[in-house]
mmCIF file of all heavy atoms in Angstrom:
data_model
loop_
_atom_site.group_PDB
_atom_site.id
_atom_site.type_symbol
_atom_site.label_atom_id
_atom_site.label_comp_id
_atom_site.label_asym_id
_atom_site.label_seq_id
_atom_site.Cartn_x
_atom_site.Cartn_y
_atom_site.Cartn_z
ATOM 1 N N LYS A 1 9.061 16.200 11.590
ATOM 2 C CA LYS A 1 8.001 17.012 12.165
ATOM 3 C C LYS A 1 6.921 16.091 12.727
ATOM 4 O O LYS A 1 6.800 14.937 12.284
ATOM 5 C CB LYS A 1 7.402 17.899 11.071
ATOM 6 C CG LYS A 1 8.404 18.846 10.437
ATOM 7 C CD LYS A 1 7.821 19.545 9.224
ATOM 8 C CE LYS A 1 7.832 18.670 8.009
ATOM 9 N NZ LYS A 1 7.483 19.408 6.778
ATOM 10 N N PRO A 2 6.124 16.579 13.663
ATOM 11 C CA PRO A 2 5.051 15.720 14.206
ATOM 12 C C PRO A 2 4.143 15.145 13.120
ATOM 13 O O PRO A 2 3.670 14.014 13.260
ATOM 14 C CB PRO A 2 4.296 16.678 15.133
ATOM 15 C CG PRO A 2 5.347 17.642 15.592
ATOM 16 C CD PRO A 2 6.226 17.849 14.385
ATOM 17 N N GLU A 3 3.926 15.865 12.052
ATOM 18 C CA GLU A 3 3.062 15.360 10.981
ATOM 19 C C GLU A 3 3.699 14.223 10.177
ATOM 20 O O GLU A 3 3.043 13.622 9.323
ATOM 21 C CB GLU A 3 2.627 16.481 10.040
ATOM 22 C CG GLU A 3 3.749 17.337 9.511
ATOM 23 C CD GLU A 3 3.939 18.607 10.323
ATOM 24 O OE1 GLU A 3 3.926 18.541 11.578
ATOM 25 O OE2 GLU A 3 4.124 19.674 9.689
ATOM 26 N N ASP A 4 4.968 13.926 10.435
ATOM 27 C CA ASP A 4 5.599 12.765 9.823
ATOM 28 C C ASP A 4 5.308 11.478 10.589
ATOM 29 O O ASP A 4 5.704 10.382 10.150
ATOM 30 C CB ASP A 4 7.113 12.961 9.725
ATOM 31 C CG ASP A 4 7.502 14.104 8.809
ATOM 32 O OD1 ASP A 4 6.907 14.214 7.714
ATOM 33 O OD2 ASP A 4 8.386 14.896 9.196
ATOM 34 N N THR A 5 4.640 11.602 11.720
ATOM 35 C CA THR A 5 4.279 10.425 12.510
ATOM 36 C C THR A 5 3.369 9.506 11.707
ATOM 37 O O THR A 5 2.320 9.928 11.214
ATOM 38 C CB THR A 5 3.590 10.842 13.813
ATOM 39 O OG1 THR A 5 4.528 11.554 14.628
ATOM 40 C CG2 THR A 5 3.074 9.622 14.579
ATOM 41 N N ALA A 6 3.799 8.261 11.560
ATOM 42 C CA ALA A 6 3.055 7.300 10.742
ATOM 43 C C ALA A 6 3.762 5.952 10.815
ATOM 44 O O ALA A 6 4.884 5.857 11.316
ATOM 45 C CB ALA A 6 2.988 7.752 9.283
ATOM 46 N N VAL A 7 3.092 4.945 10.298
ATOM 47 C CA VAL A 7 3.752 3.674 10.019
ATOM 48 C C VAL A 7 4.247 3.731 8.582
ATOM 49 O O VAL A 7 3.488 4.090 7.674
ATOM 50 C CB VAL A 7 2.805 2.477 10.221
ATOM 51 C CG1 VAL A 7 3.540 1.171 9.931
ATOM 52 C CG2 VAL A 7 2.241 2.475 11.635
ATOM 53 N N TYR A 8 5.505 3.386 8.391
ATOM 54 C CA TYR A 8 6.134 3.467 7.072
ATOM 55 C C TYR A 8 6.307 2.066 6.491
ATOM 56 O O TYR A 8 6.756 1.148 7.182
ATOM 57 C CB TYR A 8 7.482 4.172 7.187
ATOM 58 C CG TYR A 8 7.353 5.652 7.389
ATOM 59 C CD1 TYR A 8 6.881 6.182 8.595
ATOM 60 C CD2 TYR A 8 7.664 6.553 6.370
ATOM 61 C CE1 TYR A 8 6.732 7.551 8.777
ATOM 62 C CE2 TYR A 8 7.529 7.922 6.543
ATOM 63 C CZ TYR A 8 7.066 8.410 7.744
ATOM 64 O OH TYR A 8 6.921 9.765 7.920
ATOM 65 N N TYR A 9 5.969 1.952 5.213
ATOM 66 C CA TYR A 9 6.033 0.688 4.495
ATOM 67 C C TYR A 9 6.799 0.863 3.188
ATOM 68 O O TYR A 9 6.802 1.945 2.598
ATOM 69 C CB TYR A 9 4.627 0.200 4.122
ATOM 70 C CG TYR A 9 3.663 0.026 5.255
ATOM 71 C CD1 TYR A 9 2.881 1.096 5.708
ATOM 72 C CD2 TYR A 9 3.487 -1.212 5.868
ATOM 73 C CE1 TYR A 9 1.968 0.934 6.734
ATOM 74 C CE2 TYR A 9 2.575 -1.380 6.892
ATOM 75 C CZ TYR A 9 1.824 -0.300 7.321
ATOM 76 O OH TYR A 9 0.916 -0.476 8.348
ATOM 77 N N CYS A 10 7.386 -0.226 2.724
ATOM 78 C CA CYS A 10 7.964 -0.238 1.392
ATOM 79 C C CYS A 10 7.210 -1.267 0.552
ATOM 80 O O CYS A 10 6.582 -2.183 1.089
ATOM 81 C CB CYS A 10 9.443 -0.575 1.427
ATOM 82 S SG CYS A 10 9.809 -2.199 2.089
ATOM 83 N N ALA A 11 7.279 -1.106 -0.759
ATOM 84 C CA ALA A 11 6.593 -2.045 -1.643
ATOM 85 C C ALA A 11 7.079 -1.861 -3.072
ATOM 86 O O ALA A 11 7.378 -0.728 -3.479
ATOM 87 C CB ALA A 11 5.083 -1.831 -1.589
ATOM 88 N N PRO A 12 7.117 -2.952 -3.840
ATOM 89 C CA PRO A 12 7.360 -2.808 -5.284
ATOM 90 C C PRO A 12 6.184 -2.037 -5.899
ATOM 91 O O PRO A 12 5.021 -2.280 -5.538
ATOM 92 C CB PRO A 12 7.400 -4.248 -5.782
ATOM 93 C CG PRO A 12 7.629 -5.086 -4.570
ATOM 94 C CD PRO A 12 6.989 -4.358 -3.453
ATOM 95 N N VAL A 13 6.488 -1.133 -6.812
ATOM 96 C CA VAL A 13 5.443 -0.294 -7.406
ATOM 97 C C VAL A 13 5.482 -0.370 -8.922
ATOM 98 O O VAL A 13 6.481 -0.768 -9.521
ATOM 99 C CB VAL A 13 5.578 1.170 -6.951
ATOM 100 C CG1 VAL A 13 5.396 1.288 -5.443
ATOM 101 C CG2 VAL A 13 6.929 1.744 -7.371
ATOM 102 N N ALA A 14 4.384 0.058 -9.522
ATOM 103 C CA ALA A 14 4.284 0.055 -10.972
ATOM 104 C C ALA A 14 5.320 1.002 -11.575
ATOM 105 O O ALA A 14 5.576 2.077 -11.033
ATOM 106 C CB ALA A 14 2.878 0.468 -11.389
ATOM 107 N N ARG A 15 5.883 0.573 -12.675
ATOM 108 C CA ARG A 15 6.898 1.398 -13.336
ATOM 109 C C ARG A 15 6.693 1.384 -14.849
ATOM 110 O O ARG A 15 6.038 0.502 -15.390
ATOM 111 C CB ARG A 15 8.302 0.902 -13.010
ATOM 112 C CG ARG A 15 8.636 -0.463 -13.582
ATOM 113 C CD ARG A 15 10.086 -0.831 -13.317
ATOM 114 N NE ARG A 15 10.418 -2.181 -13.750
ATOM 115 C CZ ARG A 15 10.842 -2.486 -14.966
ATOM 116 N NH1 ARG A 15 10.968 -1.542 -15.881
ATOM 117 N NH2 ARG A 15 11.140 -3.736 -15.272
ATOM 118 N N LEU A 16 7.245 2.372 -15.508
ATOM 119 C CA LEU A 16 7.306 2.436 -16.960
ATOM 120 C C LEU A 16 8.766 2.610 -17.327
ATOM 121 O O LEU A 16 9.369 3.625 -16.961
ATOM 122 C CB LEU A 16 6.461 3.596 -17.497
ATOM 123 C CG LEU A 16 6.533 3.792 -19.009
ATOM 124 C CD1 LEU A 16 5.963 2.563 -19.719
ATOM 125 C CD2 LEU A 16 5.751 5.040 -19.423
ATOM 126 N N ASN A 17 9.312 1.642 -17.990
ATOM 127 C CA ASN A 17 10.761 1.591 -18.206
ATOM 128 C C ASN A 17 11.433 1.643 -16.842
ATOM 129 O O ASN A 17 11.160 0.815 -15.998
ATOM 130 C CB ASN A 17 11.193 2.715 -19.144
ATOM 131 C CG ASN A 17 10.544 2.584 -20.509
ATOM 132 O OD1 ASN A 17 10.433 1.481 -21.042
ATOM 133 N ND2 ASN A 17 10.079 3.696 -21.056
ATOM 134 N N SER A 18 12.295 2.594 -16.592
ATOM 135 C CA SER A 18 12.990 2.623 -15.306
ATOM 136 C C SER A 18 12.319 3.534 -14.293
ATOM 137 O O SER A 18 12.796 3.653 -13.158
ATOM 138 C CB SER A 18 14.439 3.056 -15.510
ATOM 139 O OG SER A 18 14.487 4.364 -16.033
ATOM 140 N N ASP A 19 11.220 4.169 -14.680
ATOM 141 C CA ASP A 19 10.604 5.205 -13.844
ATOM 142 C C ASP A 19 9.379 4.706 -13.091
ATOM 143 O O ASP A 19 8.620 3.877 -13.592
ATOM 144 C CB ASP A 19 10.186 6.391 -14.713
ATOM 145 C CG ASP A 19 11.364 7.038 -15.402
ATOM 146 O OD1 ASP A 19 12.473 7.009 -14.828
ATOM 147 O OD2 ASP A 19 11.181 7.557 -16.514
ATOM 148 N N CYS A 20 9.160 5.274 -11.931
ATOM 149 C CA CYS A 20 7.955 4.984 -11.157
ATOM 150 C C CYS A 20 6.760 5.643 -11.830
ATOM 151 O O CYS A 20 6.855 6.778 -12.286
ATOM 152 C CB CYS A 20 8.082 5.533 -9.738
ATOM 153 S SG CYS A 20 9.569 5.025 -8.868
ATOM 154 N N ILE A 21 5.645 4.954 -11.860
ATOM 155 C CA ILE A 21 4.412 5.535 -12.381
ATOM 156 C C ILE A 21 3.687 6.226 -11.232
ATOM 157 O O ILE A 21 3.548 5.666 -10.142
ATOM 158 C CB ILE A 21 3.523 4.446 -13.015
ATOM 159 C CG1 ILE A 21 4.187 3.879 -14.276
ATOM 160 C CG2 ILE A 21 2.141 5.002 -13.364
ATOM 161 C CD1 ILE A 21 3.442 2.731 -14.898
ATOM 162 N N LEU A 22 3.225 7.445 -11.500
ATOM 163 C CA LEU A 22 2.503 8.206 -10.483
ATOM 164 C C LEU A 22 1.008 8.211 -10.787
ATOM 165 O O LEU A 22 0.630 8.284 -11.955
ATOM 166 C CB LEU A 22 3.036 9.641 -10.437
ATOM 167 C CG LEU A 22 4.532 9.789 -10.167
ATOM 168 C CD1 LEU A 22 4.917 11.262 -10.193
ATOM 169 C CD2 LEU A 22 4.908 9.150 -8.857
ATOM 170 N N PRO A 23 0.159 8.174 -9.769
ATOM 171 C CA PRO A 23 0.508 8.037 -8.355
ATOM 172 C C PRO A 23 1.072 6.658 -8.058
ATOM 173 O O PRO A 23 0.789 5.692 -8.767
ATOM 174 C CB PRO A 23 -0.829 8.251 -7.642
ATOM 175 C CG PRO A 23 -1.850 7.803 -8.642
ATOM 176 C CD PRO A 23 -1.290 8.199 -9.978
ATOM 177 N N LEU A 24 1.888 6.579 -7.022
ATOM 178 C CA LEU A 24 2.510 5.319 -6.676
ATOM 179 C C LEU A 24 1.454 4.264 -6.369
ATOM 180 O O LEU A 24 0.480 4.534 -5.659
ATOM 181 C CB LEU A 24 3.426 5.496 -5.467
ATOM 182 C CG LEU A 24 4.611 6.455 -5.663
ATOM 183 C CD1 LEU A 24 5.459 6.507 -4.397
ATOM 184 C CD2 LEU A 24 5.447 6.067 -6.859
ATOM 185 N N SER A 25 1.693 3.081 -6.899
ATOM 186 C CA SER A 25 0.733 1.994 -6.729
ATOM 187 C C SER A 25 1.493 0.698 -6.503
ATOM 188 O O SER A 25 2.270 0.273 -7.356
ATOM 189 C CB SER A 25 -0.154 1.878 -7.970
ATOM 190 O OG SER A 25 -1.001 0.748 -7.880
ATOM 191 N N ALA A 26 1.271 0.108 -5.335
ATOM 192 C CA ALA A 26 1.892 -1.183 -5.062
ATOM 193 C C ALA A 26 1.334 -2.221 -6.024
ATOM 194 O O ALA A 26 0.131 -2.259 -6.293
ATOM 195 C CB ALA A 26 1.627 -1.600 -3.621
ATOM 196 N N ILE A 27 2.208 -3.043 -6.553
ATOM 197 C CA ILE A 27 1.775 -3.993 -7.580
ATOM 198 C C ILE A 27 1.408 -5.362 -7.009
ATOM 199 O O ILE A 27 0.849 -6.189 -7.722
ATOM 200 C CB ILE A 27 2.829 -4.138 -8.682
ATOM 201 C CG1 ILE A 27 4.172 -4.617 -8.116
ATOM 202 C CG2 ILE A 27 2.991 -2.834 -9.423
ATOM 203 C CD1 ILE A 27 5.208 -4.875 -9.187
ATOM 204 N N TYR A 28 1.714 -5.611 -5.762
ATOM 205 C CA TYR A 28 1.311 -6.865 -5.145
ATOM 206 C C TYR A 28 0.393 -6.571 -3.964
ATOM 207 O O TYR A 28 0.543 -5.567 -3.273
ATOM 208 C CB TYR A 28 2.529 -7.651 -4.661
ATOM 209 C CG TYR A 28 3.445 -8.074 -5.780
ATOM 210 C CD1 TYR A 28 4.747 -7.574 -5.866
ATOM 211 C CD2 TYR A 28 3.020 -8.952 -6.762
ATOM 212 C CE1 TYR A 28 5.593 -7.957 -6.890
ATOM 213 C CE2 TYR A 28 3.860 -9.331 -7.795
ATOM 214 C CZ TYR A 28 5.137 -8.832 -7.849
ATOM 215 O OH TYR A 28 5.967 -9.213 -8.875
ATOM 216 N N ASN A 29 -0.515 -7.465 -3.719
ATOM 217 C CA ASN A 29 -1.422 -7.313 -2.584
ATOM 218 C C ASN A 29 -0.747 -7.889 -1.345
ATOM 219 O O ASN A 29 -1.186 -8.879 -0.755
ATOM 220 C CB ASN A 29 -2.743 -8.035 -2.862
ATOM 221 C CG ASN A 29 -3.748 -7.797 -1.767
ATOM 222 O OD1 ASN A 29 -3.698 -6.782 -1.076
ATOM 223 N ND2 ASN A 29 -4.666 -8.725 -1.584
ATOM 224 N N TYR A 30 0.359 -7.231 -0.995
ATOM 225 C CA TYR A 30 1.141 -7.694 0.156
ATOM 226 C C TYR A 30 1.827 -6.479 0.762
ATOM 227 O O TYR A 30 2.390 -5.650 0.055
ATOM 228 C CB TYR A 30 2.206 -8.708 -0.281
ATOM 229 C CG TYR A 30 3.223 -9.000 0.792
ATOM 230 C CD1 TYR A 30 2.985 -9.972 1.751
ATOM 231 C CD2 TYR A 30 4.409 -8.264 0.869
ATOM 232 C CE1 TYR A 30 3.909 -10.212 2.761
ATOM 233 C CE2 TYR A 30 5.336 -8.500 1.870
ATOM 234 C CZ TYR A 30 5.084 -9.477 2.802
ATOM 235 O OH TYR A 30 5.990 -9.714 3.801
ATOM 236 N N TRP A 31 1.763 -6.416 2.062
ATOM 237 C CA TRP A 31 2.469 -5.375 2.807
ATOM 238 C C TRP A 31 3.199 -6.004 3.971
ATOM 239 O O TRP A 31 2.687 -6.925 4.611
ATOM 240 C CB TRP A 31 1.496 -4.318 3.332
ATOM 241 C CG TRP A 31 0.819 -3.560 2.255
ATOM 242 C CD1 TRP A 31 -0.385 -3.835 1.678
ATOM 243 C CD2 TRP A 31 1.319 -2.402 1.566
ATOM 244 N NE1 TRP A 31 -0.668 -2.923 0.681
ATOM 245 C CE2 TRP A 31 0.358 -2.032 0.608
ATOM 246 C CE3 TRP A 31 2.481 -1.638 1.676
ATOM 247 C CZ2 TRP A 31 0.540 -0.929 -0.231
ATOM 248 C CZ3 TRP A 31 2.656 -0.549 0.847
ATOM 249 C CH2 TRP A 31 1.685 -0.206 -0.105
ATOM 250 N N GLY A 32 4.408 -5.510 4.247
ATOM 251 C CA GLY A 32 5.107 -5.927 5.438
ATOM 252 C C GLY A 32 4.457 -5.337 6.673
ATOM 253 O O GLY A 32 3.391 -4.713 6.596
ATOM 254 N N ARG A 33 5.090 -5.518 7.794
ATOM 255 C CA ARG A 33 4.532 -4.997 9.056
ATOM 256 C C ARG A 33 4.732 -3.486 9.188
ATOM 257 O O ARG A 33 4.070 -2.833 10.002
ATOM 258 C CB ARG A 33 5.180 -5.697 10.245
ATOM 259 C CG ARG A 33 4.788 -7.154 10.365
ATOM 260 C CD ARG A 33 5.292 -7.746 11.673
ATOM 261 N NE ARG A 33 4.773 -9.083 11.896
ATOM 262 C CZ ARG A 33 4.962 -9.785 13.003
ATOM 263 N NH1 ARG A 33 5.668 -9.266 13.999
ATOM 264 N NH2 ARG A 33 4.459 -10.995 13.125
ATOM 265 N N GLY A 34 5.642 -2.957 8.418
ATOM 266 C CA GLY A 34 5.920 -1.535 8.531
ATOM 267 C C GLY A 34 6.790 -1.229 9.738
ATOM 268 O O GLY A 34 7.087 -2.094 10.572
ATOM 269 N N THR A 35 7.200 0.021 9.838
ATOM 270 C CA THR A 35 7.972 0.474 10.986
ATOM 271 C C THR A 35 7.380 1.790 11.462
ATOM 272 O O THR A 35 7.112 2.701 10.663
ATOM 273 C CB THR A 35 9.470 0.597 10.636
ATOM 274 O OG1 THR A 35 10.217 0.906 11.809
ATOM 275 C CG2 THR A 35 9.747 1.635 9.564
ATOM 276 N N GLN A 36 7.146 1.875 12.761
ATOM 277 C CA GLN A 36 6.479 3.042 13.337
ATOM 278 C C GLN A 36 7.471 4.176 13.538
ATOM 279 O O GLN A 36 8.536 3.985 14.144
ATOM 280 C CB GLN A 36 5.848 2.678 14.680
ATOM 281 C CG GLN A 36 5.246 3.859 15.432
ATOM 282 C CD GLN A 36 3.975 4.374 14.798
ATOM 283 O OE1 GLN A 36 3.072 3.612 14.467
ATOM 284 N NE2 GLN A 36 3.894 5.694 14.613
ATOM 285 N N VAL A 37 7.111 5.333 13.054
ATOM 286 C CA VAL A 37 7.873 6.560 13.297
ATOM 287 C C VAL A 37 6.978 7.501 14.086
ATOM 288 O O VAL A 37 5.866 7.824 13.655
ATOM 289 C CB VAL A 37 8.310 7.212 11.979
ATOM 290 C CG1 VAL A 37 8.929 8.583 12.238
ATOM 291 C CG2 VAL A 37 9.298 6.311 11.238
ATOM 292 N N THR A 38 7.467 7.919 15.232
ATOM 293 C CA THR A 38 6.721 8.856 16.072
ATOM 294 C C THR A 38 7.597 10.067 16.342
ATOM 295 O O THR A 38 8.714 9.933 16.846
ATOM 296 C CB THR A 38 6.306 8.214 17.398
ATOM 297 O OG1 THR A 38 5.523 7.048 17.138
ATOM 298 C CG2 THR A 38 5.491 9.184 18.237
ATOM 299 N N VAL A 39 7.099 11.222 15.964
ATOM 300 C CA VAL A 39 7.843 12.468 16.160
ATOM 301 C C VAL A 39 7.108 13.280 17.218
ATOM 302 O O VAL A 39 5.989 13.762 16.981
ATOM 303 C CB VAL A 39 7.961 13.265 14.859
ATOM 304 C CG1 VAL A 39 8.851 14.493 15.075
ATOM 305 C CG2 VAL A 39 8.521 12.376 13.739
#
């Protein structure tokens, strides 16, 4: 949908055992360039 338009990034996030901790929080102060999605 048009509202999905954004730059998308991936990152390692905080976890507890095997599960992601919410809200999602990147654990390193590093981001890739991302990839642009335009709808």
Side-chain angles (χ1 to χ4, degrees):
K1 300 171 281 190
E3 51 264 45
D4 296 316
T5 295
V7 181
Y8 286 71
Y9 303 87
C10 62
V13 297
R15 67 175 175 89
L16 176 63
N17 298 319
S18 62
D19 298 329
C20 307
I21 293 175
L22 303 178
L24 298 182
S25 174
I27 59 176
Y28 296 115
N29 185 26
Y30 168 86
W31 296 93
R33 291 188 172 186
T35 186
Q36 174 72 48
V37 172
T38 302
V39 185

